[in-house]
Amino acid sequence: DGGITQSPKYLFRKEGQNVTLSCEQNLNHDAMYWYRQDPGQGLRLIYYSQIVNDFQKGDIAEGYSVSREKKESFPLTVTSAQKNPTAFYLCASSILGRGTNEKLFFGSGTQLSVL
Amino acid sequence: AQTVTQSQPEMSVQEAETVTLSCTYDTSESDYYLFWYKQPPSRQMILVIRQEAYKQQNATENRFSVNFQKAAKSFSLKISDSQLGDAAMYFCAYRPNRDDKIIFGKGTRLHILP
């Protein structure tokens, strides 16, 4: 079955630690996204990528980093510079443009908490 | 900057009644896409409906329809014959056609009263 897989489902971070959230898709989508969800804040865009080896900052990129070495994979690293990392993180991919039935396919999310 | 505003943090509707969720957006673009996504308690995001700005006809999907007012930059979602399964967070989203960046509003939590 085609889809988008996020892991782990739950993740705990210690002070000063970097953690990496995994996102893999087998939908052959070019575009991939990372969003952060906090209560009352909706979904805020962290990073997005339109093509392999290229990505753009979203609205809240500080304290995060990404890579796009393969079309299928778009991991997100939450660095120690992110002082308030506790949130629900959603990865998504999309086919884009007219005539494509454009929509975001979302993973099931990772809940990150600070110990 | 492009923004999406959902002015109703929470709404309630009686089962089988009709409810309208509001969304406004700010953009200088003329060609863009608008979306409504649903997030039930499982937190799995589901596309409800999509509207392409160049199409004047309002999109419909079964019990869900939109009122797209391009000049007013308004994109409201109407849910007819509300069902208990419609209870969820609803997010409005926007993408300009020249970019792949997709931004979301803060959401409206919809309660269905039996």
Side-chain angles (χ1 to χ4, degrees), chain A residues 7-27:
Chain A
S7 62
K9 193 173 179 68
Y10 299 96
L11 187 58
F12 298 91
R13 194 191 89 167
K14 295 179 181 178
E15 283 292 329
Q17 187 181 41
N18 292 352
V19 292
T20 297
L21 284 60
S22 171
C23 179
E24 303 276 334
Q25 55 102 354
N26 61 3
L27 299 165

Side-chain angles (χ1 to χ4, degrees), chain A residues 59-81:
Chain A
D59 299 319
I60 57 164
E62 187 174 347
Y64 299 95
S65 66
V66 293
S67 63
R68 187 87 186 275
E69 296 176 3
K70 298 186 300 182
K71 189 175 185 177
E72 302 79 18
S73 178
F74 192 42
L76 173 74
T77 296
V78 184
T79 74
S80 57

